[in-house]
Amino acid sequence: MSELLSQQTPAVSIVIPAKNETDNIRPLIAEIQAAMDDRYSYELIYIDDGSTDTTWDELQALRASGFDRLKLIRHQQSVGQSLAIISGAWVARGEWLVVLDADGQNDPADIPGMLDAVQAARAQDSRVWGVIGHRVNRRDDWVKRLSSKVANGFRDCMLRDGIPDTGCGLKAVLRERYLRLPSFNHMHRYIPTLIQAQGGIMRVHPVNHRPRMAGTSNYGVWNRLWVGLVDVLGVWWLKRRAKVVQIRDYQA
């Protein structure tokens, strides 16, 4: 058993932004428990980003049932996935921030392996600040695959971050470093580039990918493809303007 289990403060904060995901909550949490219990000390933070279904009621019922790892945030209105993650990151206590989608397409069984890999890499190089999943076998419909292919091609051309699957929702990043990143709508799609711009390294780890458990996606062609193409230009500008400070000497 990992020595991290003995710590009062959790080593890992798992943050899940959710909007209208009632039917996916219980099965996903069960999978997280199966993957993480007895492996890492962790807390689970759900952010209800303006749901109009019974997502909030379902989360409250789970918390009332005695699942004390669960923390809940409810937004007055939807602000988008990126800012919902930031809401969770601000209240998180773990050294490592793990982010995954609420629809069940990310497999929680991949989380321990990702954490093991990124901590081993960081032990060798302190510039390693995180790891992102690479969905080797995509299980999306053709609209998502096509829009991702076009957007990723444009992104690769502009940003050249060397990440094969920047759209994967499953990531593990040092929380302190995540909170230092520029905050804007859709920024969750550009975490590797933003980390590189600050002098960090983002590792890649192969992960499983599955069909959506239930419900319908909150993303379509407009907010996945066209908005993404515009965002790339903004991130390209941020990357061009970023400077990494290297302190040569310090005397107190």
Side-chain angles (χ1 to χ4, degrees):
M1 184 181 296
S2 171
E3 64 181 6
L4 293 172
L5 290 171
S6 64
Q7 299 176 356
Q8 281 191 329
T9 301
V12 180
S13 296
I14 300 175
V15 172
I16 304 178
K19 181 180 178 181
N20 298 335
E21 298 286 0
T22 298
D23 294 332
N24 293 321
I25 293 170
R26 287 183 183 268
L28 184 60
I29 288 180
E31 289 187 321
I32 291 171
Q33 289 176 299
M36 294 293 290
D37 287 1
D38 301 325
R39 293 292 300 275
Y40 281 94
S41 62
Y42 71 98
E43 62 182 356
L44 178 58
I45 304 170
Y46 256 88
I47 304 93
D48 180 354
D49 186 38
S51 295
T52 55
D53 65 357
T54 57
T55 290
W56 182 249
D57 296 333
E58 187 75 1
L59 288 169
Q60 284 189 305
L62 275 167
R63 182 172 169 82
S65 70
F67 184 35
D68 56 4
R69 296 185 192 271
L70 182 62
K71 294 179 173 58
L72 305 179
I73 298 173
R74 188 183 193 186
H75 288 167
Q76 181 70 28
Q77 59 189 19
S78 178
V79 294
Q81 187 171 347
S82 291
L83 299 182
I85 293 170
I86 292 293
S87 285
W90 276 117
V91 303
R93 298 177 297 149
E95 178 185 12
W96 290 96
L97 189 73
V98 172
V99 180
L100 72 158
D101 294 337
D103 57 13
Q105 289 196 271
N106 302 138
D107 190 346
D110 288 316
I111 297 175
M114 291 182 72
L115 289 168
D116 292 345
V118 72
Q119 290 181 97
R122 182 164 170 77
Q124 299 297 318
D125 188 340
S126 62
R127 295 174 301 166
V128 175
W129 296 349
V131 60
I132 184 170
H134 178 200
R135 297 166 293 183
V136 179
N137 296 308
R138 292 285 299 271
R139 300 298 300 274
D140 289 321
D141 59 34
W142 70 270
V143 174
K144 286 186 179 181
R145 292 198 301 269
L146 178 60
S147 59
S148 292
K149 184 175 182 179
V150 174
N152 282 334
F154 182 60
R155 178 191 59 80
D156 290 342
C157 180
M158 295 293 293
L159 303 181
R160 301 186 183 278
D161 56 18
I163 302 296
D165 186 16
T166 192
C168 182
L170 184 54
K171 309 173 186 72
V173 183
L174 288 169
R175 181 176 58 87
E176 185 236 352
R177 291 295 180 179
Y178 198 100
L179 289 172
R180 291 188 185 187
L181 300 178
S183 176
F184 55 91
N185 199 17
H186 302 294
M187 60 87 74
H188 67 278
R189 296 194 179 112
Y190 304 97
I191 298 301
T193 302
L194 297 172
I195 282 178
Q196 290 172 6
Q198 293 192 4
I201 296 172
M202 195 79 168
R203 295 291 191 184
V204 176
H205 190 83
V207 296
N208 187 27
H209 193 239
R210 311 178 296 187
R212 167 180 270 275
M213 286 183 179
T216 58
S217 175
N218 295 306
Y219 291 100
V221 174
W222 175 254
N223 59 5
R224 180 177 293 273
L225 175 56
W226 305 120
V227 172
L229 296 179
V230 173
D231 287 341
V232 167
L233 298 176
V235 176
W236 174 82
W237 181 86
L238 283 172
K239 183 178 179 180
R240 293 266 298 180
R241 302 300 293 174
K243 296 289 184 182
V244 178
V245 177
Q246 295 181 327
I247 297 175
R248 180 176 178 178
D249 194 9
Y250 171 71
Q251 297 179 9

